[in-house]
Amino acid sequence: MAFLLGLVFGASCQNDSFETATEAVNNMRLGWNLGNTLESNSGDTQNMWIEHWTNRTPSDYETAWGQSVTKPELMKMFKEAGFNAVRVPVTWYPHMQAKFNFSTWENSIWDASNDDIGTQVQAEWMKRVHEVVDYVIGQGMYCILNVHHDTGAANTAWLIADEAEYAKEKTRFEALWTQIAEEFRDYDEHLLFEGYNEMLDVKRSWCFASFAADGNYNAAIATSAYNAINAYAQSFVDAVRATGGNNAQRNLIVTTYGACDGRGTWNSHLQDPLKKMKLPDDPAGKGHLIFEVHSYPDVANLVSAKSELLTTIRNLKEYLEKKGAPVIFGEWGESTGKAYDENRANLLAFSRYFVEQAKQNGMGTFLWMGLSDGAHRSVPEFNQPDLVEALVKGYYGEQGYQSGMTETPVSYPQTVTVYDMQGRICQSGTSGPEVLKSLPSGIYVLRDGQSRLVAIP
């Protein structure tokens, strides 16, 4: 009997339990970020240019940073190439309750203290986020939905790794996650939530907390930052779990301070973000939490980059995984942004190696953008096909995604019983392409235009 995972937009089986976090990370296989899209924002209170110069429609934001309006065909292309997960970064603050009424026609300065973002998400924005999530889920892929540039170094960020700032923003943060969680309460285990992106301290320090302080370290700032990160992580988990339904067991992702991966040996504090990160208390969803880090190494010296990666993975296993949750690289890529044009051989070799090593160590990988960018997404087509090939071979081996597939003839119409990953019946009846177009995670793929399923070992 072929076991198929039933996927219906916005719905799921009534599961007693979801797959564990570890199972989900393994089943995600290759991941990619839909970057510079739903997370686009003006990013500067002194120049809120999107708010000033556009009609502020969802598509105005979605295309503000040079990308095309997202189409379901883009997700289909990634699925057919061998990817099985897409991270969808979303910035929420421009789509809440701030009015962005500027004092003059020329003025684009936002005074957030007198024009607060409030707590409620605009229905039109939530609808568009929902549509994009459905594009991913509709292909049978895993989708990670997050809170993105509400954190970070820009002066528009309102989520700061500081105990006083946490106390100030706790209610708003939990209200935001309550709305997101309620919107997607009935979605199955293919949807994961990520509490926050790269949250920084009051000094906007990268690498580790308080690095931007005088002397490159301040114990009081660092302690407050790490305490706040753990408090935000706990609030996120508590807010989502409280909404019930499938959210009671949904796999949730918490990120280290700054999403730091502890890479490097040039400072004794580099591993502090890993060491200070706590696994949130989650008795109702035990086994359903994931740690996230980001990694952007320099690939100029291939030998050094590979060696550094192995050290990073060892540190992640020692300082994070041992706390009781698997790890994903929610973003990764090379640090310069120029390697594809200037050092492509090293980039391709390292990218394949990165995926190979992460897979061997049970860690998920989500490449930051690339592969299909700008107008190429609208076609859709890959504008970096050799990088796609390197990633796919890194995960599936030299023969790539099609390696080892066997074919099982199928005649339409047919009576199909659809099961979830635990073998429980979700639905049954006469099926055709309209039912099977949702691609079950890692089990079968419907070959376009042909009445057959292809089984993936």
Side-chain angles (χ1 to χ4, degrees):
M1 163 65 79
F3 282 81
L4 305 178
L5 175 61
L7 287 175
V8 179
F9 276 36
S12 72
C13 314
Q14 295 301 309
N15 293 328
D16 295 328
S17 64
F18 277 13
E19 63 188 4
T20 67
T22 298
E23 290 169 339
V25 170
N26 289 333
N27 290 334
M28 288 177 194
R29 305 203 297 260
L30 277 177
W32 178 74
N33 275 272
L34 183 69
N36 288 9
T37 306
L38 296 183
E39 86 277 23
S40 300
N41 68 108
S42 294
D44 184 357
T45 60
Q46 300 302 299
N47 182 23
M48 300 299 287
W49 61 275
I50 303 177
E51 288 71 24
H52 195 182
W53 299 111
T54 77
N55 292 321
R56 299 190 60 207
T57 66
S59 62
D60 286 328
Y61 284 93
E62 191 170 351
T63 59
W65 286 3
Q67 299 301 324
S68 306
V69 170
T70 307
K71 298 179 179 179
E73 291 83 0
L74 178 69
M75 303 308 167
K76 183 174 184 288
M77 179 182 73
F78 271 91
K79 177 67 179 186
E80 291 178 344
F83 291 78
N84 203 41
V86 174
R87 181 172 177 254
V88 178
V90 180
T91 300
W92 299 88
Y93 79 85
H95 313 286
M96 296 171 76
Q97 292 176 285
K99 295 180 176 59
F100 301 109
N101 291 330
F102 306 116
S103 59
T104 69
W105 183 80
E106 298 88 356
N107 186 313
S108 58
I109 297 172
W110 174 37
D111 180 5
S113 63
N114 292 314
D115 185 13
D116 191 69
I117 64 174
T119 59
Q120 299 300 308
V121 177
Q122 296 166 2
E124 186 180 24
W125 182 249
M126 185 69 84
K127 178 182 178 182
R128 180 54 182 158
V129 172
H130 201 137
E131 288 173 347
V132 174
V133 168
D134 280 347
Y135 296 164
V136 180
I137 299 293
Q139 292 299 323
M141 294 193 287
Y142 289 81
C143 179
I144 294 176
L145 180 62
N146 83 347
V147 169
H148 203 78
H149 286 310
D150 302 88
T151 67
N155 61 14
T156 50
W158 58 278
L159 294 172
I160 311 298
D162 174 80
E163 289 173 297
E165 290 292 329
Y166 166 74
K168 174 185 171 185
E169 300 293 354
K170 177 179 184 292
T171 298
R172 193 196 322 266
F173 179 66
E174 293 177 352
L176 174 57
W177 267 114
T178 296
Q179 290 170 81
I180 299 169
E182 288 178 342
E183 179 75 14
F184 296 98
R185 186 200 329 257
D186 296 328
Y187 275 55
D188 74 4
E189 56 206 9
H190 283 73
L191 179 62
L192 298 88
F193 296 148
E194 173 196 318
Y196 49 87
N197 185 46
E198 297 169 343
M199 198 185 306
L200 305 178
D201 63 23
V202 292
K203 296 290 186 179
R204 303 305 205 258
S205 303
W206 295 104
C207 303
F208 54 85
S210 82
F211 177 58
D214 292 342
N216 298 129
Y217 186 73
N218 180 295
I221 292 175
T223 297
S224 180
Y226 295 129
N227 287 345
I229 283 290
N230 289 316
Y232 279 112
Q234 189 65 60
S235 280
F236 160 61
V237 171
D238 291 345
V240 172
R241 296 292 184 234
T243 62
N246 285 342
N247 291 330
Q249 298 175 83
R250 187 172 309 286
N251 288 314
L252 304 179
I253 302 168
V254 293
T255 308
T256 61
Y257 171 87
C260 300
D261 66 351
R263 181 168 45 86
T265 58
W266 52 269
N267 191 291
S268 62
H269 294 290
L270 285 168
Q271 283 80 55
D272 285 0
L274 311 184
K275 295 176 181 178
K276 301 295 184 181
M277 186 73 202
K278 295 180 180 178
L279 186 69
D281 183 29
D282 188 25
K286 187 174 177 59
H288 293 287
L289 297 179
I290 298 169
F291 287 122
E292 177 176 324
V293 298
H294 299 170
S295 189
Y296 289 95
D298 185 348
V299 302
N301 185 319
L302 188 56
V303 173
S304 176
K306 287 182 174 181
S307 176
E308 188 175 64
L309 173 62
L310 296 181
T311 300
T312 298
I313 288 175
R314 284 197 297 271
N315 286 337
L316 293 173
K317 295 177 80 68
E318 177 67 25
Y319 299 128
L320 284 183
E321 195 175 276
K322 281 188 176 180
K323 293 173 181 175
V327 177
I328 63 170
F329 291 95
E331 294 179 16
W332 72 277
E334 56 86 21
S335 60
T336 67
K338 301 177 181 179
Y340 188 76
D341 296 319
E342 299 178 0
N343 202 351
R344 189 176 302 185
N346 276 14
L347 174 63
L348 297 178
F350 180 77
S351 296
R352 177 168 178 170
Y353 186 77
F354 190 101
V355 171
E356 288 172 343
Q357 293 303 313
K359 179 184 178 182
Q360 289 178 21
N361 287 278
M363 298 179 180
T365 57
F366 289 76
L367 185 74
W368 179 255
M369 292 185 58
L371 307 184
S372 182
D373 284 329
H376 298 281
R377 291 189 187 177
S378 187
V379 176
E381 65 184 0
F382 290 119
N383 59 297
Q384 295 178 325
D386 48 356
L387 182 54
V388 174
E389 181 182 21
L391 300 175
V392 169
K393 288 185 176 181
Y395 190 88
Y396 295 99
E398 185 61 31
Q399 300 305 309
Y401 179 52
Q402 303 298 321
S403 175
M405 298 201 312
T406 59
E407 299 181 2
T408 304
V410 176
S411 299
Y412 295 125
Q414 62 165 331
T415 299
V416 173
T417 302
V418 182
Y419 294 83
D420 68 11
M421 292 297 289
Q422 284 74 42
R424 295 182 292 258
I425 295 176
C426 294
Q427 57 179 299
S428 63
T430 300
S431 79
E434 71 279 4
V435 172
L436 295 173
K437 67 183 180 181
S438 294
L439 305 178
S441 177
I443 301 174
Y444 287 93
V445 176
L446 180 67
R447 304 302 288 172
D448 288 341
Q450 302 184 50
S451 298
R452 57 190 175 91
L453 291 176
V454 175
I456 303 174

